[in-house]
Amino acid sequence: MENLSILLPEIFLSLAIFVTLLIGVFFKDSYNLVTKIIYAIIVILILIIFNTFTESFDLFSNSYISNSYTNFFKILILISALFTLIITQAYIREKNINYFEYSLVLLLSILGMFIMISSNDLILFYLGLELQSLSLYILAALDRDNLKSNESGLKYFVLSALASGLLLYGCSLLYGFTGSTNFEQINLNAGLENTGAIFAMVFILVGLAFKVSAVPFHMWTPDVYEGSPTSVTSFFAVVPKITGIAVIIRFMQIPFAQLVDHWQPILVFISLASMILGAVAAIGQTNIKRLVAYSSIGHIGYALAGVATGTINGYNSSIVYISIYVIMNLAIFACIFLMQKEGKYCENLDDLSGISSKHPFLSISLLIILFSLAGIPPLAGFFAKFYVFMSVVESKMYVLAIIGLLSTVISAFYYLRIIKIIYFDELKKPFDSTKNIGVYFTLSLSCLILISFFIYPSFLNNIVETLLIN
Amino acid sequence: MDFPILSLITILPLVGAIFIFIFDNNQSENKNTIYVSLFTSFVNFFLALFLWYSFDKNTADFQFIEEANWINGFIRFKFGIDGISILFIVLTAFITPICIISCISSIKKRLKEFLIAILVLETFMIGVFCSLDLVIFYLFFEAGLIPMFLIIGIWGGPKRVYAAFKFFLFTLLGSVLMLVAIISIYWITGTTDVVQIYEIKIPVEFQYLLWLAFFSSFAVKMPMWPVHTWLPDAHVEAPTAGSVILAAILLKMAGYGFLRFSIGMFPIASEYFIPLIYTLSIIAIIYTSLVALMQEDMKKLIAYSSVAHMGFVTLGIFTFTKQGIEGSIFQMLSHGIISAALFLCVGVLYDRVHSRLINSYGGIVNILPKYAFVFAIFMLGSLGLPGTSGFIGEILVLLGTFQKSFLAAILASIGIILGAAYMLWLYKRVVFGKLEKKELLELKDLNYSETVILFSLAILTLVFGFYPNLILDTIHVSVDNLISDYQNSLILNLLK
């Protein structure tokens, strides 16, 4: 009998989803109730995982693992999902998309992510991936009366299904050429002479790159970000990215460890292309959600640069990068939820013009977030980039480092443009003053972290460094 | 000394800024804000003076060292000063209160935010001069962009957006290369502590590229020809206080950087690139002086003259002679005072007439005698008249240059003549002549605060001109040490 208590988080999560689903169906207007229950579920989950943080196990003939690495990412996912829920509440109610299914589907996707991260087996991994993706398709099309939301859901579905197909093809190839679906077995058999495994690696990498929206598999991102309800976009921009990076690192570290010479140039290319495209394409955007989409493409490029080094330091720096990225993105979405004029949510950059005189708090927060996204010291975004480039230079990948840093200069341009709109332009029309405590709380907390990160910058490193040792 | 006076002096303006940010919510009444900012900046100035007083001039070692663990296993937080940096700290602490006084009357909107920006900027600037760790240095060096960007962009002139963007992106572009170099240095030597790097000595084959990476950052900041084009734009569009800080302190970071980092860490590459620096400096001196001659905007003229003066600084630093380097440092400090004063002088006229064009003035000596008097002192200081601080800097630099390159010295001397030409011509067109423009007749002479600021700067210009040892005493030992370290590394390299 396997020790099922290791699976406690996943079991608890699935049971909780079923129970909450029943509650949601049986009570009328159950949105508020369900949301409260889900807050509680998330908090309990965090505690459960935290309790067994450093213990490492494997289950079901080594097809499912749980160690501090997976636990770190699970907690990161839960925390960011919690804050996403908190900041989206007001928006969901005002947009009348307060279906209780929203939070439930969101939890379901988290379950999928848990399985993805913990899986040590291709089949299990694929199951988790599909569970996550199907939930995300539903979320994208959640605003079912809105044409754009439907469009984005469909677009995401078609393209993502294609990517999943490629990934599945890669998995089957890998099984065929290595004779196993277990990661560690694959690692033993996928040597440099195994051309089929290299082939399979490329397919799997394509599928994963699609999920984190890295160039050249990024085309869906701006449309889906723009079309989906902002509440869903804020989830898309944060949580699946964490999973994506976690999974990519796992794949590169275990099944493909021997193929490092083959996947390294691919990742370097993907990373460089993402940085450059993210920086250049964002310049012309006028919609803030599209801009965030391109900026997130660029940031994934930096995170992948750390992975591309193929060293433990590089992986660690990617993990730090993605953690700081999560904070910055939650904060910028919190700001987007405050952009409200006469009861309507605005998405255009022009709507921000000159708001600094009327909304000092929002403007100074945006200032901090944008400079941090641009990677200007002493804000947290600088340290994220600093660690990544530290490991990149350590691996002597100078071209990646120099082009990467030059693209931060280009991307600084469009971040500065937003600051220019906020601070230098004349006020057109102030926003409504809202008393949205959840959003303000998230915003102030994340800005505080971004500013004060420099006082003790090794805080995150100390945690992350312990993850990959075992 | 155990008391962390350097940290205190760095952090104090920031504390003042936070204090203003949190406690002052009164939009209409700015008195408290002004008092708080004046108080913090003056306290900081006196702390800086105290630091200078208790500084030991007879040792080349770093003093007041503070160390702490910062990024585990990687980088230690390290502060410390020597004879070169102490004076820049004093200069920063001196210029900031002057800026605050000058902006009280000239900044009409959002004074509170402006003062916060200035105080935050002061923290970053002092941090640059205190830090003895490359990463910490980079942190402060880059962080200074944020407040300066806002100062130009929010309170600037009509083309402020263009100027602010140009300023930010130019500087950032130069600096990211320096970041790559800093990270490379870490992986080559295993530390980013400057003092340790001095001892470890970076292998020669790496020095050239690393030197170029640092150069790209400092050349933009300095600014050297041909990447100087952001400076005139930034100066013209920035508010007076912004121009003053930009000219007086931000530009000096680059010169300080050359001294502290380029020469100290890459002596062989520094020697190798002397022809490059000389060429660029000479072009800067002559070309920008000629450009300055043709300017119609007073601020632009002074901005170009700054580029020319900075050309002297780079020229002097890379002579590696005692006179040259001391002259450069002196020139930087004196330029800090004189250019600040010149921008303030332009600001005085701009506040009254709202024009910076030279031809909208003329004959103002008849109505603004006090103003004409101090302006004359600064004008003469800028062109290097004996008796002013400008003279000492230039003569020392030329003395140093003559030992190294006769041609460079001759060409640089031509720059001095051109400098005299454009400054005198500016003065003639603005101050002398007949008072023909009607709108000028109503002008009032310097008010109380302007008088205090400008006269104190004028007195300093003359004092340093007549008694340069006040400054030179402090830097002698450190400069000697710098040069002997440099020569030792060259000899060691030859012996290999």
Side-chain angles (χ1 to χ4, degrees), chain A residues 146-163:
Chain A
N146 183 336
L147 205 61
K148 266 195 162 179
S149 173
N150 282 324
E151 183 202 324
S152 84
L154 194 63
K155 211 173 234 169
Y156 187 37
F157 170 67
V158 173
L159 289 170
S160 181
L162 179 69

Side-chain angles (χ1 to χ4, degrees), chain A residues 123-264:
Chain A
I123 295 175
L124 206 53
F125 167 75
Y126 189 75
L127 286 177
L129 179 85
E130 281 306 287
L131 180 56
Q132 179 231 22
S133 305
L134 281 169
S135 318
L136 293 183
Y137 308 148
I138 300 172
L139 284 177
L142 192 73
D143 192 359
R144 55 191 173 216
D145 302 327
N146 183 336
L147 205 61
K148 266 195 162 179
S149 173
N150 282 324
E151 183 202 324
S152 84
L154 194 63
K155 211 173 234 169
Y156 187 37
F157 170 67
V158 173
L159 289 170
S160 181
L162 179 69
S164 298
L166 288 175
L167 194 133
L168 191 59
Y169 183 52
C171 290
S172 61
L173 272 181
L174 201 57
Y175 174 66
F177 280 95
T178 58
S180 173
T181 54
N182 184 283
F183 282 7
E184 268 128 36
Q185 283 297 320
I186 294 172
N187 185 20
L188 293 179
N189 297 334
L192 284 175
E193 72 289 345
N194 194 339
T195 321
I198 297 170
F199 228 76
M201 179 270 293
V202 176
F203 279 107
I204 291 178
L205 204 54
V206 168
L208 294 177
F210 180 91
K211 302 291 173 192
V212 294
S213 70
V215 180
F217 313 104
H218 65 282
M219 276 77 154
W220 59 277
T221 323
D223 294 338
V224 172
Y225 275 36
E226 190 192 358
S228 311
T230 316
S231 52
V232 177
T233 311
S234 64
F235 184 73
F236 274 7
V238 176
V239 184
K241 304 278 155 100
I242 306 174
T243 325
I245 293 292
V247 168
I248 290 180
I249 294 176
R250 263 188 67 75
F251 263 96
M252 297 309 142
Q253 204 203 357
I254 300 172
F256 299 140
Q258 292 193 52
L259 303 177
V260 59
D261 289 340
H262 290 276
W263 58 254
Q264 202 168 32

Side-chain angles (χ1 to χ4, degrees), chain B residues 17-125:
Chain B
I18 294 172
F19 193 80
I20 295 174
F21 179 70
I22 295 175
F23 292 105
D24 187 62
N25 290 318
N26 196 342
Q27 293 287 339
S28 54
E29 191 71 34
N30 279 317
K31 259 190 182 156
N32 291 336
T33 318
I34 294 167
Y35 287 144
V36 171
S37 52
L38 271 182
F39 178 73
T40 35
S41 57
F42 268 110
V43 168
N44 225 32
F45 177 51
F46 288 119
L47 271 176
L49 284 184
F50 171 73
L51 193 69
W52 193 10
Y53 169 76
S54 50
F55 177 82
D56 180 5
K57 291 167 188 164
N58 301 318
T59 168
D61 293 339
F62 288 99
Q63 303 176 30
F64 305 103
I65 287 184
E66 293 165 24
E67 271 190 279
N69 222 357
W70 192 53
I71 303 181
N72 284 5
F74 270 129
I75 292 146
R76 291 176 64 74
F77 166 88
K78 191 168 183 186
F79 264 12
I81 50 170
D82 67 352
I84 299 171
S85 40
I86 172 79
L87 290 169
F88 290 106
I89 295 173
V90 176
L91 179 71
T92 311
F94 171 65
I95 293 292
T96 310
I98 285 183
C99 282
I100 291 175
I101 298 172
S102 80
C103 76
I104 291 170
S105 54
S106 62
I107 298 291
K108 295 285 185 280
K109 58 167 187 179
R110 299 204 204 166
L111 184 62
K112 176 187 156 191
E113 281 94 338
F114 189 82
L115 293 173
I116 292 177
I118 296 257
L119 287 176
V120 171
L121 189 57
E122 185 183 9
T123 286
F124 293 147
M125 291 184 300

Side-chain angles (χ1 to χ4, degrees), chain A residues 108-126:
Chain A
L108 262 177
S109 77
I110 292 178
L111 181 62
M113 293 172 193
F114 276 21
I115 297 174
M116 280 167 84
I117 293 173
S118 273
S119 63
N120 201 29
D121 184 281
L122 287 177
I123 295 175
L124 206 53
F125 167 75
Y126 189 75

